[in-house]
Amino acid sequence: MTHRILVIPGDGIGAEVMPHVLRVLGALDVALSIEEADLGGVAIDGHGTPLPPQTLTAAQASDAVLLGAVGGPRWDALPMDQRPEKGLLGLRAGLDAFANLRPALLFAPLADASSLRPELVAGLDILIVRELTGGIYFGEPRGVENASGRRRGFNTDVYTEDEIERIARVAFDLAGKRNGRLTSVDKANVLEVTQLWRTVVTEVHADFPHIELDHLYVDNAAMQLVRAPKQFDVMVTGNLFGDILSDAAAMLTGSLGMLPSASLNARGQGIYEPVHGSAPDIAGRDVANPLATILSAAMMLRYSLGEVEAADRVESAVDRVLEEGIRTADIVPVEDADGVRKVGTQAMAEAVIGAL
Ligand code: NAD
Ligand code: IPM
Ligand code: MN
């Protein structure tokens, strides 16, 4: 069976890394029909809009979308609704990809690349489930207005109980396939919308009595994540808190350049993208770590394409390459560490292909 993939390289290191990732996919025994489309800055330049209609149509018609990253200083001065990031948000909403899975998994050879002591992160395997198509990212009203000559900026954090219920069900379900523990993160001591979040998550728990549920305020959760991250199994939270906590969790695994993600809708379609952005500070220099995007491709094989064996192969190949001491700059422990070979983007991807 041939799987239909839409590849969206995007901007900065997204576009730089993607050709290498496609070569990794090409080294597998999986039949893919690959189409490419523009999103973000490159789409603004080429089509005058960050999400061209043909990109959304192609995404909706595909089995899965593999995405690099969007954004960059070139487009930062544009009005909010014309920015590259708006294209990404429109794609997520257009596919109804509400369930964003961000696994923070420590590859054993990287224990010394984390900014935390190795014993705090050794064996780390947590999953952040972030609601992706609601909350303050999409809430109305929003804007900056002029009130009697002074500017006033405002956004709205809003969740319906249906939106909370469907993401809670995904999270409970995933916890059931892992270690059976779910932590819901909110700010229910201050924000009504997250009071409802806590109430609905607690109600859904009645259908999952075998899962151990607890609730944390987001400030405490952020602290616990860097104090003792291994206490967590699955964390579920809203769009904004999930964005922030997942970058923090990335650092536990050594680098933002290691963290993949899957954004799923109810039909099993998904957008697969690294958690990191377009990294304009390092783009075009062959130094970006391609592993987050390679691991995102592995998640795509596993979750949307049912190619579990190929996914296992890619993940084992990454493990083996790290085991061999091959490192991009972001995961080099200390300069000249014994047995470590520092490589660029292309050489890292080639090492993965070699290990396959
Ligand atoms: P970023 O994630 O692009 O970079 C943060 C830091 O991490 C930078 O120092 C960068 O060099 C480093 N980094 C990121 N990925 C790396 C990799 N693979 N290998 C090595 N180092 C890596 O975040 P930012 O700088 O805040 O944002 C840059 C642009 O990317 C902005 O326009 C932002 O909106 C956009 N962005 C896009 C996405 C996305 O497309 N999903 C995600 C986050 C940020
Ligand atoms: C992410 C990014 C995006 C987000 C931006 C680029 C819109 O930071 O995927 O984590 O905030 O969701
Ligand atoms: Mn983010």
Side-chain angles (χ1 to χ4, degrees):
M1 177 182 156
T2 302
H3 307 287
R4 286 185 70 176
I5 306 303
L6 183 70
V7 169
I8 302 182
D11 308 314
I13 65 167
E16 183 180 357
V17 160
M18 193 57 82
H20 302 303
V21 179
L22 292 182
R23 284 194 294 128
V24 172
L25 283 174
L28 297 164
D29 193 18
V30 175
L32 301 176
S33 112
I34 294 179
E35 203 187 320
E36 280 207 20
D38 290 338
L39 181 79
V42 68
I44 295 170
D45 293 349
H47 312 268
T49 169
L51 176 57
Q54 61 269 35
T55 296
L56 183 56
T57 310
Q60 283 161 339
S62 68
D63 296 319
V65 176
L66 183 62
L67 183 103
V70 300
R74 261 165 68 87
W75 306 283
D76 278 347
L78 289 170
M80 190 59 85
D81 61 343
Q82 293 165 35
R83 290 179 57 113
E85 292 82 353
K86 248 324 192 237
L88 179 59
L89 297 177
L91 179 70
R92 290 170 177 172
L95 281 184
D96 201 20
F98 69 96
N100 184 209
L101 279 40
R102 299 191 155 185
L105 187 117
L106 185 84
F107 284 86
L110 289 189
D112 55 2
S114 170
S115 44
L116 294 193
R117 290 197 305 279
E119 68 269 25
L120 290 181
V121 293
L124 180 84
D125 178 0
I126 63 185
L127 174 64
I128 296 180
V129 178
R130 170 190 179 197
E131 200 293 325
L132 201 62
T133 52
I136 197 165
Y137 272 54
F138 292 91
E140 299 282 349
R142 60 192 298 149
V144 178
E145 68 183 12
N146 226 306
S148 323
R150 304 299 292 164
R151 284 162 300 170
R152 177 175 172 275
F154 53 98
N155 286 91
T156 305
D157 198 359
V158 51
Y159 273 114
T160 65
E161 65 173 302
D162 293 349
E163 287 175 309
I164 302 167
E165 185 183 334
R166 68 174 180 171
I167 192 71
R169 288 193 181 279
V170 169
F172 277 115
D173 214 42
L174 288 165
K177 294 179 181 143
R178 293 168 45 101
N179 293 320
R181 290 183 296 113
L182 178 64
T183 304
S184 175
V185 177
D186 61 42
K187 189 74 185 173
N189 50 344
V190 177
L191 304 175
E192 288 82 351
V193 57
T194 69
Q195 229 167 26
L196 178 67
W197 179 281
R198 187 175 285 217
T199 303
V200 173
V201 171
T202 305
E203 288 165 4
V204 174
H205 187 205
D207 291 344
F208 298 86
H210 52 294
I211 305 294
E212 196 185 303
L213 170 69
D214 64 349
H215 304 271
L216 285 185
Y217 298 134
V218 63
D219 46 354
N220 185 20
M223 185 276 280
Q224 297 295 340
L225 207 48
V226 291
R227 187 188 71 84
K230 282 192 270 182
Q231 69 184 287
F232 296 115
D233 179 16
V234 179
M235 303 174 92
V236 63
T237 190
N239 210 338
L240 181 61
F241 298 159
D243 178 46
I244 298 165
L245 293 179
S246 56
D247 263 41
M251 248 354 262
L252 306 173
T253 71
S255 167
L256 192 48
M258 292 299 302
L259 219 69
S261 89
S263 310
L264 306 174
N265 67 18
R267 299 181 299 280
Q269 280 175 311
I271 306 169
Y272 295 84
E273 53 171 321
V275 170
H276 65 71
S278 57
D281 54 335
I282 59 166
R285 297 183 5 222
D286 193 46
V287 295
N289 186 345
L291 293 180
T293 312
I294 290 173
L295 292 168
S296 299
M299 288 186 88
M300 172 180 83
L301 292 164
R302 187 181 305 285
Y303 289 107
S304 283
L305 308 186
E307 299 281 358
V308 176
E309 204 183 306
D312 287 344
R313 278 187 69 207
V314 173
E315 285 160 7
S316 312
V318 168
D319 197 29
R320 183 150 152 220
V321 162
L322 295 171
E323 203 66 68
E324 285 165 2
I326 299 171
R327 300 278 192 278
T328 44
D330 56 311
I331 46 174
V332 169
V334 276
E335 288 302 327
D336 305 323
D338 272 354
V340 163
R341 186 155 70 86
K342 188 169 151 185
V343 300
T345 310
Q346 173 168 354
M348 177 58 99
E350 271 159 16
V352 173
I353 293 168
L356 280 173

